[in-house]
Amino acid sequence: MPAAAPLNSTELYALGSGINICCNETVRAYTEASRQKTHPAQKKGKIDKVTDCVDAVRAGAEAHCSEEYDALKNCLLDNKRSWVKCQDVKRVFDLCLVKNKLGELAR
């Protein structure tokens, strides 16, 4: 299966808090390794786990929360300098990610 295209900035921002929720342990382990100034070669496993978790959240968002995901991306694009207007839409999207147990929540 081919790798997904890289996330653009709107997609990344839309998924951001969902990634923090759904990939919490993985992101925490990577962040701790970075805080300890671990060499990138020694962090490769952690980097791969973060990438895998983000990919899983993205795929799940597209499969199970596409309406909410599209609404949030459109809101972000329509309100480039006032993303606070998208908070309610973002909350609904994040709730969908959690309800569908994406990323680490699937365990």
Side-chain angles (χ1 to χ4, degrees), residues 76-87:
L76 294 171
L77 289 170
D78 292 344
N79 296 286
K80 288 186 188 252
R81 296 182 189 216
S82 188
W83 285 351
V84 70
K85 294 177 181 177
C86 302
Q87 283 182 336

Side-chain angles (χ1 to χ4, degrees), residues 6 12 15 37-38 45-47 56 65 68 93-94 102 107:
L12 187 57
L15 289 171
K37 301 186 185 325
T38 304
K46 291 180 182 0
I47 293 167
C65 304
E68 296 88 343
F93 175 61
D94 289 344
L102 302 181
R107 297 184 204 157

